[in-house]
Amino acid sequence: MSLALGVDRSSPVPLYYQLAQQLEAAIERGALTPGSLLGNEIELAARLGLSRPTVRQAIQSLVDKGLLVRRRGVGTQVVHSQVRRPLELSSLYDDLEAAGQRPSSSVLVNTVVPASAEAAAALGVAEGDEVHRVERLRLTHGEPMAYLVNQLPAGLLDLDTGRLEATGLYRLLRSAGITLHSARQSIGARAASAPEAERLGESEGSPLLTMERVTFDDTGRAVEFGTHTYRPSRYSFEFQLLVRS
Amino acid sequence: MSLALGVDRSSPVPLYYQLAQQLEAAIERGALTPGSLLGNEIELAARLGLSRPTVRQAIQSLVDKGLLVRRRGVGTQVVHSQVRRPLELSSLYDDLEAAGQRPSSSVLVNTVVPASAEAAAALGVAEGDEVHRVERLRLTHGEPMAYLVNQLPAGLLDLDTGRLEATGLYRLLRSAGITLHSARQSIGARAASAPEAERLGESEGSPLLTMERVTFDDTGRAVEFGTHTYRPSRYSFEFQLLVRS
DNA sequence: TAGTGGTCTAGACCACGAC
DNA sequence: TCGTGGTCTAGACCACTAT
């Protein structure tokens, strides 16, 4: 079929991005089937009235997403559906978005405290400096799923409980002009201490899944330090990993 | 300083790649310091005798790696060192490379067996079809660290123990003409069963870190299914996560 | 040999951010 | 206002794959 691709040159959306979105939508709805060839770039460019580099940029963005594969001498193919499904490591946005989106997440603690040695090291501030500390309990179906502790340098942004529950940490950070860049994460496991078990409705010594994370903005500042514990019967980290070629 | 950048046009290595490597090396050795501006693209292109798109391609590849940040109206800056350190999720290459590289990893089982329902579903073969099954124990400092079980569709490649220990799964896959594309992973935790505890030198009921993975090649075939258990006192998953912008 | 993607050029204009 | 990166064009030649 002909796919009905076409770009709107009066739109402020970049041409390559428009094309990428249309291709992605076509893949998603099955108009482009797994393994099928996309047709050569020159012809596609001519058909759309675009230059080849622009078409290439669109295709490349989908290759980077893992949706397409290019092979020299063969062409550009749609990857098979089992491969393509999701998504990046969800935990960052998941945890930071949290409140507001999911009614089953509640803010238990929201205060300013002196930084512990651990938090100070993670955030790159001096021990004893003021940091915001937020503790949240995440519930699913009325049962505790995770206990989330986030610490942020004080003065980075307004963090009142109302806005936090309504908007989520991620949007508060964005609206404060902070551009997230990267995060360092560590996922492990350990036996629950008595208070940890109590908080999550487990028994002492039962296994917990743990995640520690430091998030950086694009200036290299640490903007968030999270130490989270999850009930392994109710949560696991699922993600897809693209192989750098 | 002037950085002594320059490209070799007689080399088969793409110009943008040469430049990217030189910039990366300069960042790595500190010749380009965190936060410092790279200078505008046009001037850099002129200095190197390259076109601007080529220079942009080099820079873009480092932006994608998280080493550089671009801001309109400002310029291209080196990311601060704390942000830049590692690496993708290590576990895939780590586990697949395994033998050969690390003398402390031994192959315990290497046979062909009928696929269990679980393995069949993961690999996209019929239940009872033949699959290779490899079980390895990973040691550090003489102590068990992880128990790795990998299953592969039979007939995909030669898998004798000698080659496996000498080369590692990853290279065997590559040398069989298989191009890895992506992997789906799930990380969780659970209490150790008696045999699991035995294998890893833990006690029954103690917490284990678990990882399940299905790896796909660029044709969409599932080429590997791994179910691994780790001693949490000796192993955790460490990785950096770049925020898609 | 024919067809594909991979790389590269030498320009152009625009949008956003800093000042 | 000015400088930066963001986008786009219309070509070119090369390298690899398949047949």
Side-chain angles (χ1 to χ4, degrees):
Chain A
M1 74 158 283
S2 68
L3 267 179
L5 295 172
V7 296
D8 173 11
R9 301 195 89 99
S10 69
S11 163
V13 177
L15 300 180
Y16 80 90
Y17 194 79
Q18 291 184 39
L19 176 55
Q21 282 188 316
Q22 289 178 31
L23 289 174
E24 186 168 357
I27 294 169
E28 214 54 51
R29 69 167 189 272
L32 284 171
T33 58
S36 66
L37 281 254
L38 210 60
N40 74 44
E41 303 173 344
I42 286 101
E43 191 259 350
L44 188 54
R47 180 143 64 92
L48 294 168
L50 296 172
S51 69
R52 187 183 168 206
T54 300
V55 171
R56 274 187 67 80
Q57 191 175 2
I59 292 175
Q60 187 59 48
S61 70
L62 297 184
V63 171
D64 292 342
K65 275 193 181 180
L67 271 61
L68 298 176
V69 178
R70 291 207 251 219
R71 302 154 170 269
R72 266 201 276 224
V74 178
T76 303
Q77 293 176 302
V78 180
V79 300
H80 289 73
S81 50
Q82 201 182 12
V83 174
R84 129 162 57 92
R85 268 183 241 130
L87 20 122
E88 299 72 44
L89 218 197
S90 52
S91 63
L92 205 177
Y93 285 102
D94 228 47
D95 292 340
L96 296 183
E97 197 90 50
Q101 314 301 356
R102 309 204 180 185
S104 51
S105 171
S106 60
V107 176
L108 301 182
V109 174
N110 181 8
T111 72
V112 173
V113 298
S116 66
E118 187 191 21
L123 293 173
V125 303
E127 195 173 340
D129 279 6
E130 291 196 331
V131 295
H132 271 288
R133 182 186 177 91
V134 176
E135 301 188 20
R136 293 175 292 174
L137 185 65
R138 176 81 56 90
L139 304 173
T140 53
H141 310 304
E143 281 278 312
M145 185 187 74
Y147 196 80
L148 314 175
V149 179
N150 298 90
Q151 299 183 75
L152 297 82
L156 199 62
L157 47 73
D158 264 351
L159 257 191
D160 65 71
T161 301
R163 292 184 58 183
L164 193 54
E165 296 200 313
T167 324
L169 242 182
Y170 172 58
R171 295 198 186 172
L172 285 182
L173 286 165
R174 277 202 69 78
S175 66
I178 293 167
T179 305
L180 264 33
H181 175 269
S182 60
R184 295 173 52 71
Q185 301 201 350
S186 172
I187 298 176
R190 67 159 182 270
S193 69
E196 283 175 333
E198 156 105 42
R199 286 193 293 237
L200 289 172
E202 292 274 349
S203 49
E204 189 175 353
S206 65
L208 292 184
L209 190 59
T210 66
M211 196 265 282
E212 265 200 31
R213 180 186 59 219
V214 184
T215 309
F216 301 93
D217 72 0
D218 60 0
T219 70
R221 259 187 321 187
V223 294
E224 184 259 344
F225 172 48
T227 52
H228 303 170
T229 52
Y230 303 84
R231 293 176 82 178
S233 60
R234 304 189 154 266
Y235 191 82
S236 61
F237 292 92
E238 313 273 349
F239 52 96
Q240 180 168 250
L241 166 62
L242 294 178
V243 174
R244 65 186 192 288
S245 57
Chain B
M1 72 161 283
S2 68
L3 268 179
L5 295 172
V7 295
D8 172 11
R9 299 197 90 99
S10 70
S11 162
V13 177
L15 301 179
Y16 80 90
Y17 194 79
Q18 291 184 40
L19 177 54
Q21 282 188 317
Q22 288 178 32
L23 290 173
E24 187 168 356
I27 293 171
E28 214 54 50
R29 72 168 188 271
L32 283 171
T33 58
S36 67
L37 275 289
L38 210 59
N40 73 44
E41 302 171 343
I42 287 103
E43 189 258 352
L44 188 54
R47 180 144 62 93
L48 295 167
L50 296 173
S51 69
R52 187 183 167 205
T54 300
V55 171
R56 273 187 69 80
Q57 191 176 1
I59 292 175
Q60 186 60 48
S61 70
L62 297 183
V63 171
D64 292 342
K65 274 193 182 179
L67 270 62
L68 298 176
V69 178
R70 294 208 248 220
R71 306 154 169 268
R72 266 201 278 226
V74 178
T76 303
Q77 291 176 302
V78 179
V79 166
H80 288 73
S81 50
Q82 199 182 13
V83 174
R84 129 163 56 91
R85 270 184 238 129
L87 19 130
E88 299 74 42
L89 217 197
S90 53
S91 64
L92 205 178
Y93 284 102
D94 227 48
D95 292 339
L96 296 182
E97 197 91 51
Q101 314 301 356
R102 310 207 180 181
S104 50
S105 171
S106 59
V107 175
L108 302 182
V109 174
N110 181 9
T111 72
V112 173
V113 297
S116 66
E118 187 191 20
L123 292 174
V125 302
E127 195 173 340
D129 280 7
E130 290 196 331
V131 294
H132 272 290
R133 183 185 177 91
V134 176
E135 301 188 20
R136 293 175 292 175
L137 185 65
R138 177 80 56 88
L139 305 173
T140 52
H141 311 303
E143 280 280 312
M145 185 186 72
Y147 196 80
L148 313 175
V149 179
N150 297 88
Q151 299 184 75
L152 298 83
L156 199 62
L157 47 73
D158 264 351
L159 258 189
D160 66 70
T161 301
R163 294 184 57 184
L164 192 55
E165 294 198 316
T167 324
L169 244 182
Y170 172 58
R171 294 197 189 174
L172 284 183
L173 286 166
R174 277 201 69 79
S175 66
I178 293 168
T179 306
L180 264 33
H181 174 268
S182 60
R184 296 174 50 72
Q185 300 202 352
S186 174
I187 298 175
R190 67 158 182 267
S193 68
E196 283 176 333
E198 158 105 42
R199 287 193 293 239
L200 289 172
E202 292 274 348
S203 49
E204 188 176 351
S206 65
L208 292 183
L209 190 58
T210 66
M211 196 264 282
E212 265 200 31
R213 179 186 60 218
V214 184
T215 309
F216 301 93
D217 74 359
D218 62 358
T219 70
R221 258 186 324 187
V223 294
E224 184 258 344
F225 172 48
T227 52
H228 303 170
T229 52
Y230 304 84
R231 292 176 83 177
S233 60
R234 303 190 157 266
Y235 191 82
S236 60
F237 292 93
E238 313 272 347
F239 52 97
Q240 179 169 251
L241 167 63
L242 294 178
V243 175
R244 64 186 192 286
S245 58

